[in-house]
Amino acid sequence: MAQAVTTTNRDLDLKHLWHANLQHRGLEARPPLEVASAEGCYVFDSEGRRYLDGMAGLFCVNVGYGRQEIVDAVAAQMSQLAYYPLTQSHGPAAQLAGRLAELLPPGLGRVFFTNSGSEAVETALKMARQCARQTHPGENRFKIIARHRGYHGFTMGALAASGQSARRASFEPLAPGFLHVPPPDHYRCSFCSAQPACSLACADEFERVIRMEGPETVAAVIVEPVIGGGGVFPAPDGYLERLRAVCDRYGVLLILDEVITGFGRTGKFFGFEHAGIRADILVFAKGLTSAYLPLGATVASEQVFAAFQADADNSKFVQVSTFGGHPSSCAAALANIEILTRERLWENSATVGAYLLEQLRAIRSPWIAEVRGLGLLIGMELVSDENKTPLPEAQMVQLLREFREAGLLMGRNVESAPGYCNVLLLSPPLILSREQAVTIVATVTQVLRRL
Ligand SMILES: Cc1ncc(COP(=O)(O)O)c(C=O)c1O
């Protein structure tokens, strides 16, 4: 009798799915992990094997998996109102905008919703250009200054802002008018790596570029408070303050991309709180809903918003997003923020993150050049010799495989700087316990010992 042939998810995947950032040639030999379920800090594959999710998905499941409260809020919202666009209004979007305004400093509370971080960045860039034109008539302020190694998204504008050449190369020319300055990478800094501490010369680069380009051509600066996917580079002490002062001096808007750093990731509710500075435009996604549903938010200051009301006929922001601010996503975000604030998860991020950082720094391994991070956002830069030669690609790939075999899902920076994709990334759910941190350190120690 002929056996019934069953088509597995893996068959369908290999035949039809086009994965993010994966080379499909030869994928049969190393298929991606098929994740079937998740709870807390753990995900389970289709064979029931458990993994500690050291990346919270993609820097995003901040409250951890399996929060029924978010599921219930979304189900209730879907039953009541499945959809309505924000060309009109609905309760969940209004309430979420209000909640964000409560959490943010006064004067920063005008929220435009989208579906993703890339779209939220795109929105910020467009707002900045239009605002600059409307507040500086007669000037031509369109340039945006960002940083090498920064990442802001995959769409043409957000990718143009991203300073990661290997991600950009196949699609250029991207949106014009973007410039990049060096990141605060003290370990490899061409200004001050020989000195014990950062000299902030990299922050002064913004001013140098603004002056060379002509301030009347510059609309905005965009930075992540901590460069995340590009290799984890926290802003050194005084850096963001200096940047804020430069922006003020030249009438340039400061956009902070908090897609990763927002919602507790770095040990404060928002990344900018570490420096105590004010942004003109903030960008959120990921942790806003802990990825239970897609949502991006661009928050403008009242000053920026005012520029869009200067002329009743011509100054409005012309942009519509069909799904942006979807009622279900807003309901998920409200429930997610309720959990984050009730459990004060930024505090756990600060304490367990500091412990994890310290323990990882204590690992004695010739491969570890630097361990850096803030809260539960940590990068470990690996080298193969004393000349700071980055650990080669093949070994980085092998390491990630071994972590996975040992039950730990780690990340690494990819395509972020040619030849420098040698940073292991950790960004677990913010509910990570000290015991789970100990497990991570033990696994990292063991796997690196075998290298
Ligand atoms: C800092 C930052 N900005 C923007 C984005 C883009 O977000 P999304 O992937 O939701 O489009 C990302 C994604 O990783 C990010 O890390």
Side-chain angles (χ1 to χ4, degrees):
M1 203 167 61
Q3 289 273 306
V5 178
T6 48
T7 306
T8 63
N9 286 342
R10 176 163 296 172
D11 297 332
L12 292 168
D13 175 314
L14 290 172
K15 194 149 177 226
H16 296 293
L17 253 183
W18 194 333
H19 287 277
N21 257 22
L22 271 192
Q23 171 52 263
H24 278 246
R25 182 190 279 239
L27 203 62
E28 293 82 359
R30 39 169 185 82
L33 185 69
E34 185 188 331
V35 176
S37 63
E39 184 62 37
C41 288
Y42 296 100
V43 301
F44 299 84
D45 70 14
S46 48
E47 275 142 33
R49 205 159 163 236
R50 190 179 84 158
Y51 303 85
L52 181 54
D53 186 2
M55 283 299 289
L58 212 48
F59 310 91
C60 52
V61 188
N62 288 12
V63 296
Y65 297 93
R67 297 283 197 161
Q68 191 59 38
E69 175 175 351
I70 303 181
V71 179
D72 292 343
V74 170
Q77 182 54 50
M78 279 193 166
S79 306
Q80 189 184 327
L81 173 69
Y83 173 72
Y84 210 74
L86 284 181
T87 43
Q88 301 295 330
S89 189
H90 55 71
Q95 287 160 31
L96 179 57
R99 188 74 184 99
L100 289 172
E102 267 171 19
L103 292 164
L104 288 165
L108 250 179
R110 191 57 70 158
V111 189
F112 193 104
F113 288 116
T114 52
N115 306 287
S116 66
S118 299
E119 289 180 346
V121 165
E122 211 67 54
T123 303
L125 300 172
K126 289 165 73 180
M127 270 179 192
R129 280 188 174 171
Q130 188 176 343
C131 175
R133 289 203 165 106
Q134 287 171 186
T135 46
H136 301 276
E139 295 184 351
N140 185 22
R141 289 184 180 252
F142 67 95
K143 292 174 193 163
I144 312 275
I145 307 175
R147 296 179 298 185
H148 285 127
R149 301 199 73 148
Y151 181 67
H152 300 290
F154 66 83
T155 49
M156 292 304 243
L159 192 56
S162 302
Q164 304 190 351
S165 59
R167 274 180 205 274
R168 302 157 48 107
S170 307
F171 316 113
E172 282 171 326
L174 303 169
F178 289 80
L179 300 148
H180 294 90
V181 299
D185 174 7
H186 186 249
Y187 179 65
R188 296 186 187 276
C189 183
S190 53
F191 301 112
C192 67
S193 64
Q195 299 164 24
C198 173
S199 67
L200 293 186
C202 54
D204 293 336
E205 278 296 281
F206 287 100
E207 179 159 28
R208 190 185 65 77
V209 170
I210 291 170
R211 290 172 67 108
M212 293 308 285
E213 294 290 323
E216 69 288 352
T217 69
V218 182
V221 161
I222 180 167
V223 295
E224 301 157 81
V226 179
I227 291 179
V232 184
F233 298 98
D237 288 348
Y239 178 99
L240 288 173
E241 294 88 325
R242 193 170 289 200
L243 176 55
R244 176 72 263 180
V246 168
C247 288
D248 287 343
R249 202 169 305 137
Y250 297 98
V252 169
L253 296 169
L254 177 58
I255 306 171
L256 291 183
D257 179 343
E258 294 248 12
V259 167
I260 288 182
T261 53
F263 300 90
R265 171 62 53 204
T266 67
K268 302 247 185 221
F269 204 95
F270 300 111
F272 66 77
E273 291 175 50
H274 291 280
I277 57 146
R278 168 185 54 79
D280 299 297
I281 303 178
L282 285 163
V283 181
F284 300 124
K286 296 191 191 273
L288 171 58
T289 59
S290 284
Y292 277 66
L293 280 178
L295 187 64
T298 308
V299 185
S301 69
E302 287 307 326
Q303 241 169 338
V304 167
F305 183 64
F308 292 81
Q309 295 166 87
D311 165 354
D313 294 327
N314 297 315
S315 63
K316 72 174 181 181
F317 187 51
V318 182
Q319 174 170 295
V320 61
S321 164
T322 302
F323 297 135
H326 193 285
S328 306
S329 300
C330 292
L334 284 163
N336 172 60
I337 291 171
E338 166 60 27
I339 295 171
L340 274 166
T341 48
R342 188 178 66 229
E343 298 182 9
R344 302 181 69 81
L345 288 181
W346 63 94
E347 291 178 357
N348 193 60
S349 171
T351 50
V352 178
Y355 174 75
L356 186 55
L357 190 70
E358 178 196 299
Q359 295 299 307
L360 290 169
R361 282 185 174 149
I363 297 175
R364 291 284 144 250
S365 163
W367 315 113
I368 302 178
E370 190 171 56
V371 186
R372 43 185 189 251
L374 202 55
L376 280 169
L377 178 58
I378 295 177
M380 300 177 69
E381 176 143 4
L382 303 183
V383 293
S384 52
D385 59 32
E386 283 166 2
N387 298 322
K388 303 188 178 180
T389 308
L391 201 72
E393 179 71 13
Q395 275 172 300
M396 292 299 294
V397 171
Q398 177 62 22
L399 272 180
L400 282 204
R401 204 169 293 146
E402 291 192 21
F403 284 123
R404 181 168 139 182
E405 277 160 22
L408 171 63
L409 302 179
M410 291 269 270
R412 76 168 175 120
N413 67 324
V414 284
E415 278 101 32
S416 56
Y420 291 95
C421 293
N422 59 322
V423 183
L424 291 173
L425 305 175
L426 271 170
S427 171
L430 308 185
I431 54 171
L432 191 84
S433 67
R434 197 171 262 254
E435 294 68 39
Q436 288 165 329
V438 169
T439 305
I440 291 176
V441 175
T443 310
V444 171
T445 309
Q446 248 169 39
V447 169
L448 285 184
R449 200 173 286 147
R450 289 203 296 266
L451 187 67

